[in-house]
Protein backbone atom coordinates (compact mmCIF):
# COMPACT_ATOMS: atom_id res chain seq x y z
CA UNK A 1 0.00 0.00 0.00
CA UNK A 2 2.94 2.29 0.69
CA UNK A 3 4.04 1.91 -2.94
CA UNK A 4 0.53 2.09 -4.41
CA UNK A 5 -0.63 5.19 -2.55
CA UNK A 6 2.46 7.20 -1.62
CA UNK A 7 0.41 10.30 -0.72
CA UNK A 8 -1.53 8.41 1.97
CA UNK A 9 1.41 7.38 4.17
CA UNK A 10 4.36 9.47 5.30
CA UNK A 11 6.55 6.48 6.21
CA UNK A 12 6.66 2.75 5.64
CA UNK A 13 5.94 2.25 9.35
CA UNK A 14 2.69 4.21 8.94
CA UNK A 15 1.66 1.78 6.21
CA UNK A 16 2.53 -1.21 8.39
CA UNK A 17 0.54 0.24 11.29
CA UNK A 18 -2.43 0.85 8.98
CA UNK A 19 -2.25 -2.75 7.71
CA UNK A 20 -2.13 -4.26 11.20
CA UNK A 21 -5.02 -2.15 12.49
CA UNK A 22 -7.06 -2.93 9.40
CA UNK A 23 -6.38 -6.66 9.42
CA UNK A 24 -7.07 -7.04 13.14
CA UNK A 25 -10.19 -4.82 12.86
CA UNK A 26 -9.49 -2.85 16.01
CA UNK A 27 -10.42 0.70 16.82
CA UNK A 28 -12.82 3.19 15.36
CA UNK A 29 -10.24 5.82 14.52
CA UNK A 30 -11.45 8.22 17.18
CA UNK A 31 -8.60 7.48 19.60
CA UNK A 32 -5.28 6.25 18.29
CA UNK A 33 -1.62 6.30 19.29
CA UNK A 34 0.51 8.99 17.71
CA UNK A 35 4.00 7.99 18.84
CA UNK A 36 5.98 5.11 17.34
CA UNK A 37 6.21 3.29 20.67
CA UNK A 38 2.46 3.67 21.13
CA UNK A 39 1.83 2.19 17.72
CA UNK A 40 4.19 -0.70 18.43
CA UNK A 41 2.40 -1.42 21.71
CA UNK A 42 -1.00 -1.29 20.00
CA UNK A 43 0.12 -3.64 17.21
CA UNK A 44 1.62 -6.05 19.73
CA UNK A 45 -1.51 -6.04 21.86
CA UNK A 46 -3.66 -6.60 18.76
CA UNK A 47 -1.66 -9.68 17.79
CA UNK A 48 -1.62 -10.95 21.38
CA UNK A 49 -5.38 -10.51 21.58
CA UNK A 50 -5.80 -12.66 18.50
CA UNK A 51 -3.40 -15.27 19.85
CA UNK A 52 -5.13 -15.42 23.24
CA UNK A 53 -8.76 -15.35 22.08
CA UNK A 54 -9.14 -16.40 18.45
CA UNK A 55 -6.72 -19.32 18.19
CA UNK A 56 -7.90 -21.21 21.30
CA UNK A 57 -11.52 -20.63 20.28
CA UNK A 58 -11.04 -22.74 17.16
CA UNK A 59 -9.37 -25.52 19.12
CA UNK A 60 -12.08 -25.56 21.80
CA UNK A 61 -14.85 -25.52 19.19
CA UNK A 62 -13.28 -28.43 17.29
CA UNK A 63 -13.14 -30.48 20.50
CA UNK A 64 -16.71 -29.56 21.37
CA UNK A 65 -17.96 -30.57 17.92
CA UNK A 66 -16.08 -33.88 18.15
CA UNK A 67 -17.75 -34.67 21.47
CA UNK A 68 -21.16 -33.77 20.09
CA UNK A 69 -20.72 -36.06 17.10
CA UNK A 70 -19.44 -38.85 19.36
CA UNK A 71 -22.54 -38.59 21.61
CA UNK A 72 -24.81 -38.52 18.57
CA UNK A 73 -23.50 -41.85 17.26
CA UNK A 74 -23.40 -43.67 20.62
Amino acid sequence: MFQVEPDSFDTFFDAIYWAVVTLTTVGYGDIYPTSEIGRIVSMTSSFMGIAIVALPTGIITAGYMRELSREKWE
Side-chain angles (χ1 to χ4, degrees):
M1 193 57 94
F2 182 70
Q3 295 295 327
V4 176
E5 296 191 23
D7 296 336
S8 298
F9 304 103
D10 295 331
T11 65
F12 183 71
F13 182 72
D14 288 342
I16 294 292
Y17 174 75
W18 172 84
V20 168
V21 169
T22 302
L23 290 173
T24 57
T25 63
V26 296
Y28 297 104
D30 54 346
I31 299 173
Y32 53 90
T34 55
S35 67
E36 286 189 23
I37 190 71
R39 288 180 175 192
I40 290 170
V41 168
S42 69
M43 288 189 295
T44 303
S45 65
S46 297
F47 284 131
M48 292 303 293
I50 289 172
I52 292 171
V53 175
L55 296 176
T57 300
I59 296 168
I60 292 169
T61 302
Y64 181 70
M65 295 304 291
R66 185 174 11 154
E67 289 299 318
L68 282 179
S69 68
R70 188 183 322 188
E71 287 182 15
K72 182 179 178 180
W73 296 108
E74 286 181 359

